[in-house]
Amino acid sequence: DTSGHGTHVAGTIGARENNIGVIGVAPDSSLYIVRVFGDGGNFLFASGLVAAVEQCVSAGASVINMSLGGPMSSNFEDNAFGSLLSQGIIPIAAAGNDGNTQFSYPASYSNVMSVAAVDSDRRLASFSQRNSMVDIAGPGVLVQSTLPMTSPCEVCSGIGSFQYGAISGTSMATPHVAGVAALLMSFKPSASATEIQQAMLDSAFDLGTSGRDDSFGFGLVQALAAAEILNGGPLDGIGGGDGNDGDEPTPPPPTISPPSPTSTSPPSPTGSPPNDGTCDPGFSLFRLDLTTDQFGSESSWVIRRNSDGATISGGNYGNEQTYEELACLNTSTECYTFTIFDSGNDGICCSFGSGSYTVTLDGDVIQTGGSFSAAEEISLGSCGRNNPVSGTCSQQGLVPIDLYLRTDSYASETSMQLVDENGELLEFADGLVSDMEYGLTECVSPSGCYNLTVFDSFGDGLSGGTEGVFIVSFDGIEQSRATSFGSQLTVQMGNGCVS
């Protein structure tokens, strides 16, 4: 966990009661952890989140904690969460940290519990998003929890602490609610997931406007009160003599700290090639030949497996040096995105030397370059019908519309919508974060006609500051790729479109 975020979240849920550090809300719970983000912590495909949820379901999870979110909704994700409650699983997600009234997903899907954050005085955290989908609140300000013991740890560097530290966010509030859900399930195993969820909402300590409101939902989560609802009355020997007159909430569970979506590190997107430079059957040998310019430390690259966001990467190169990077990619069934970056925004040729790069697969040259600005990318492998997301669509007799969007330095100017031939809005996204990558898959009928429009309110497309890029494909075939498109770009696709 090079970020530290997931370790902090996991500690809030399950840190053991061992007289060391902190105690989790459900210290006897078993955690199954699925990694969704890459090491940078800044990328998420809908397919990756759904795959993570499916792994949790297969592993027998009863509660799924998702301390993550973003402004882009997806029917693909929404459908995946729709049946979890009926399977006895409660999905819980962070309401978002933008301090506005926008929706964040997956928290704002109707079948997911959305968690707001409050401080120790039960005041709404300034960053906590407020909207009609917020269900409940949990402690989320300066939450003390576990951290990685050694570097790299991005969170640790920010707060100057390893092993334990205090962090704020709805990501920290969410594991408190997830931990309570786990406690209640162990308290009354015969209760259904719907009954557990309803007990949590009915017992929440009301904050803000009387009844449910957009800031706190139904109120602050209460472990003991929810257990008593499930018990049908007071629990003997618990809570009767603490001076609580009924006006004060039951104290929140013992620990305060965030876990991220239940996670195990995903399998590496590549296999290390043996010394003879060959790969196992079905795998292709990826080779990057890189010559740096006079500022080699500005150059880096990443290969991202699109099915789950897993990555490998390289960087910290010397000046005017030549490097060879090898990896084995499962190109027979997987789709990968290779991106080369230059933090100086001047590529690697030819302002400060004659740098260059060449990408080959099994000896075939895929791309050669060097003259770009901030980044350049290519797709590798089975990026059409055979990738995992496309396969999910095809099982339903549908085809995928795949969107990859990397925002520029002025993401507040950017928004996106996808509509069908009847004008029905299928997807919409705004409130995006600058210099961030987003992935979206929508399964649609191949016989329809669809318009995907990307807007830029300033009128310079995705070329403000650090350049972004917009790539869309229909049924595995790229339809458009653009950076500079003015105020808007509309891509029409589908077999039902009339020329």
Side-chain angles (χ1 to χ4, degrees):
D1 179 13
T2 60
S3 167
H5 178 273
T7 302
H8 195 273
V9 169
T12 298
I13 293 177
R16 300 309 186 209
E17 188 173 2
N18 56 8
N19 297 317
I20 301 174
V22 299
I23 305 172
V25 177
D28 295 325
S29 61
S30 297
L31 302 185
Y32 181 79
I33 298 175
V34 181
R35 188 177 182 185
V36 174
F37 294 103
D39 286 344
N42 64 347
F43 188 79
L44 176 66
F45 275 117
S47 57
L49 178 57
V50 171
V53 169
E54 290 173 346
Q55 286 185 52
C56 293
V57 172
S58 298
S62 299
V63 180
I64 298 178
N65 181 94
M66 294 171 286
S67 290
L68 49 75
M72 299 182 75
S73 65
S74 161
N75 288 343
F76 181 62
E77 286 184 345
D78 197 8
N79 292 337
F81 291 113
S83 63
L84 291 183
L85 278 177
S86 63
Q87 298 178 62
I89 303 167
I90 302 177
I92 303 171
N97 296 330
D98 288 339
N100 54 29
T101 57
Q102 293 178 339
F103 295 107
S104 178
Y105 300 91
S108 293
Y109 295 129
S110 59
N111 292 293
V112 177
M113 287 188 76
S114 176
V115 183
V118 298
D119 63 17
S120 58
D121 293 321
R122 303 197 297 276
R123 297 174 300 191
L124 186 71
S126 60
F127 52 77
S128 190
Q129 284 174 227
R130 312 171 304 280
N131 57 60
S132 59
M133 300 307 291
V134 172
D135 293 300
I136 200 165
V141 177
L142 295 178
V143 173
Q144 187 82 4
S145 187
T146 51
L147 290 171
M149 298 179 66
T150 59
S151 63
C153 171
E154 295 175 15
V155 172
C156 304
S157 300
I159 63 175
S161 176
F162 286 87
Q163 290 189 299
Y164 302 97
I167 307 174
S168 299
T170 54
S171 282
M172 283 64 255
T174 304
H176 283 89
V177 175
V180 170
L183 282 178
L184 296 175
M185 285 186 161
S186 65
F187 169 72
K188 191 170 184 179
S190 63
S192 68
T194 301
E195 290 172 332
I196 297 288
Q197 184 183 64
Q198 195 60 52
M200 293 169 70
L201 299 179
D202 290 345
S203 63
F205 183 77
D206 195 10
L207 298 171
T209 304
S210 180
R212 193 214 156 268
D213 60 68
D214 289 356
S215 295
F216 303 95
F218 288 93
L220 180 62
V221 64
Q222 301 293 295
L224 176 58
E228 290 182 333
I229 286 178
L230 293 172
N231 189 55
L235 296 171
D236 293 339
I238 300 179
D242 61 0
N244 188 336
D245 61 4
D247 293 329
E248 289 296 314
T250 306
T255 69
I256 307 179
S257 313
S260 59
T262 9
S263 335
T264 53
S265 296
S268 170
T270 67
S272 299
N275 294 331
D276 62 0
T278 61
C279 298
D280 292 337
F283 285 73
S284 296
L285 178 63
F286 166 90
R287 172 172 168 167
L288 169 66
D289 291 292
L290 173 66
T291 300
T292 59
D293 62 9
Q294 297 171 14
F295 296 92
S297 62
E298 296 177 352
S299 299
S300 62
W301 59 272
V302 63
I303 300 173
R304 177 171 291 106
R305 186 169 58 196
N306 293 359
S307 63
D308 59 7
T311 63
I312 59 169
S313 58
N316 297 318
Y317 295 114
N319 301 335
E320 297 183 300
Q321 299 291 315
T322 297
Y323 299 88
E324 177 188 86
E325 304 279 12
L326 300 176
C328 290
L329 304 182
N330 184 12
T331 55
S332 60
T333 59
E334 295 281 358
C335 176
Y336 302 86
T337 299
F338 167 81
T339 308
I340 185 168
F341 302 94
D342 184 80
S343 60
N345 293 341
D346 58 1
I348 55 177
C349 181
C350 299
S351 301
F352 299 96
S354 299
S356 65
Y357 76 93
T358 299
V359 171
T360 62
L361 275 181
D362 290 335
D364 296 326
V365 176
I366 305 300
Q367 181 157 308
T368 297
S371 180
F372 57 93
S373 55
E376 193 165 67
E377 63 189 23
I378 55 173
S379 296
L380 305 169
S382 300
C383 298
R385 294 176 179 272
N386 292 328
N387 76 47
V389 184
S390 300
T392 301
C393 293
S394 63
Q395 292 170 13
Q396 307 171 49
L398 305 175
V399 297
I401 294 177
D402 295 305
L403 169 69
Y404 169 81
L405 175 66
R406 187 177 68 246
T407 57
D408 62 11
S409 298
Y410 301 94
S412 61
E413 300 170 357
T414 305
S415 60
M416 179 277 294
Q417 69 175 28
L418 175 67
V419 299
D420 65 13
E421 62 269 28
N422 299 315
E424 180 181 351
L425 183 66
L426 302 179
E427 304 287 353
F428 177 79
D430 62 1
L432 304 176
V433 177
S434 297
D435 304 317
M436 186 73 79
E437 297 173 273
Y438 297 91
L440 174 68
T441 295
E442 179 73 18
C443 297
V444 299
S445 169
S447 61
C449 181
Y450 309 92
N451 287 312
L452 179 65
T453 304
V454 178
F455 303 92
D456 185 82
S457 60
F458 189 75
D460 62 351
L462 298 170
S463 60
T466 302
E467 287 189 348
V469 66
F470 156 76
I471 306 170
V472 62
S473 64
F474 180 82
D475 198 13
I477 300 173
E478 186 173 311
Q479 305 293 309
S480 182
R481 176 188 296 249
T483 292
S484 299
F485 53 81
S487 60
Q488 73 176 67
L489 172 66
T490 298
V491 181
Q492 188 173 80
M493 62 200 118
N495 299 332
C497 298
V498 178
S499 301

